Amino acid sequence: MNSLDVITFGEAMAMFMAEQPGPLYEIKHYTKELAGAETNVAIGLARLGLHAGWVSKVGNDPFGTFIMKRLQEESVNTDCVLVDSEHSTGFQIKSKVEVEVGDPEVCYFRKNSAASHLHPRDFNRNYFLAAKHMHMTGIPLAVSASMREFALHALTSMKAAGRTVSFDPNLRPTLWTSKEEMIFTINEAAKQANYVLPGIEEGKILTGYENPEDIASYYLDAGVELVVIKLGEQGAFFKTAKEQGMVEGIKVKQIVDTVGAGDGFAVGLLSGLLQHDSLTQSVMKANAIGSLAVQSPGDNDGYPTEQQLQKYMESQKQGVK
């Protein structure tokens, strides 16, 4: 089996993006694209020349076929994606945001989807262990009980085999039965990871702390090696047992769509770490791809190739404190 740089897993959906602003019930025309936090990361890494694999279940339907073809076009390995003949692929519809209005409205149609039936028995150990690193988010922990079991099994298996793991909380409160269950389950997984990548508001919810340094220390004290906290346009704060710093964000002229920015951040950070860049340089890459992501309408439309990333970073002035 060919080796992979990164493996990830989760639910992918067909996404219908409104072609004009307004309430979703009034929209007549949509553009179809791919949605999914983990597929965003896999696509972003593949565009940078890394070997990325994605694992899930899709339905034996047009949406499932679309997802598979879309990922293959992006050179993402899908050898262990299973096709479920009994359950359908989920989809979502997303509004078009007017400039300076805020985040888009998103409606999900994912209950009892094929991906939600991913189970620990679907775990292919050899395939996962062919990867140097695993990236996971908190979404599979919330989608269904069996998907949570799969996620936790993958996490413990990769750590036991000496692989590094990154974890993005990617909180989805509406998928959880309670806030308390969400906080407990997400933190239990996060504390097993090597790298934890919360947004500042997520960090406040999960730890009860307000200050980025305190949020980072909460996870470092539990054994996490690196915590990078996304601060939006302000940039990102990072901390390990030996160093900490702040990398300023890149100011953009116009925010088109914020969805996918956090996943783009993960792409930049992981690509830097896997390519043995310095921690500061890796966070700079993360900020750069996050800023590119918010300037495009799709979840991953703005993710660059390696050449495009280098050219973009050279054109920006980032401050490091």
Side-chain angles (χ1 to χ4, degrees), residues 35-304:
E38 299 83 9
T39 50
N40 286 340
V41 173
I43 287 171
L45 291 170
R47 286 187 190 167
L48 294 176
L50 294 167
H51 299 292
W54 177 74
V55 173
S56 188
K57 280 185 176 180
V58 297
N60 185 21
D61 50 45
F63 290 163
T65 302
F66 163 71
I67 289 168
M68 295 292 284
K69 287 187 174 296
R70 182 74 177 77
L71 290 170
Q72 288 159 9
E73 289 170 358
E74 293 282 358
S75 299
V76 173
N77 187 286
T78 57
D79 287 353
C80 277
V81 177
L82 302 174
V83 177
D84 186 335
S85 297
E86 297 181 12
H87 305 95
S88 60
T89 308
F91 69 96
Q92 61 174 261
I93 55 176
K94 183 170 78 168
S95 68
K96 182 174 183 178
V97 178
E98 296 181 271
V99 179
E100 304 299 335
V101 170
D103 294 337
E105 176 187 3
V106 182
C107 289
Y108 297 94
F109 301 85
R110 70 196 308 177
K111 187 176 182 180
N112 205 33
S113 67
S116 72
H117 290 272
L118 197 63
H119 190 276
R121 62 174 169 266
D122 300 318
F123 181 78
N124 186 320
R125 177 179 173 82
N126 290 335
Y127 184 75
F128 271 79
L129 294 189
K132 301 172 187 174
H133 179 85
M134 184 179 81
H135 177 72
M136 66 180 290
T137 78
I139 300 173
L141 298 174
V143 170
S144 69
S146 68
M147 201 173 199
R148 181 185 302 181
E149 291 175 17
F150 179 95
L152 295 175
H153 182 65
L155 173 59
T156 55
S157 297
M158 292 297 275
K159 287 302 298 290
R163 305 298 191 269
T164 53
V165 176
S166 52
F167 183 80
D168 183 343
N170 225 319
L171 299 184
R172 297 289 190 273
T174 57
L175 293 178
W176 293 90
T177 57
S178 70
K179 181 179 180 180
E180 293 73 22
E181 181 193 27
M182 177 182 74
I183 292 172
F184 176 81
T185 306
I186 292 288
N187 278 335
E188 286 298 292
K191 291 173 184 178
Q192 296 181 62
N194 300 85
Y195 320 135
V196 177
L197 321 175
I200 181 62
E201 296 304 321
E202 291 177 325
K204 291 176 182 179
I205 292 170
L206 292 170
T207 70
Y209 294 110
E210 296 287 321
N211 185 284
E213 186 172 350
D214 294 331
I215 293 170
S217 295
Y218 174 87
Y219 292 108
L220 292 173
D221 290 345
V224 173
E225 297 172 24
L226 164 67
V227 180
V228 185
I229 301 174
K230 294 165 281 189
L231 303 173
E233 63 181 15
Q234 295 178 24
F237 172 83
F238 66 88
K239 186 176 183 181
T240 70
K242 296 182 178 180
E243 63 177 314
Q244 68 180 58
M246 174 78 185
V247 179
E248 292 183 0
I250 297 176
K251 298 189 182 302
V252 302
K253 292 182 180 180
Q254 180 178 325
I255 296 176
V256 177
D257 190 334
T258 58
V259 178
D263 303 323
F265 185 95
V267 168
L269 181 72
L270 295 179
S271 68
L273 295 176
L274 289 166
Q275 293 166 342
H276 307 293
D277 291 337
S278 69
L279 183 49
T280 297
Q281 182 68 15
S282 298
V283 178
M284 290 172 70
K285 283 186 175 181
N287 279 344
I289 298 181
S291 72
L292 284 168
V294 301
Q295 297 178 71
S296 61
D299 287 11
N300 54 60
D301 290 354
Y303 296 178

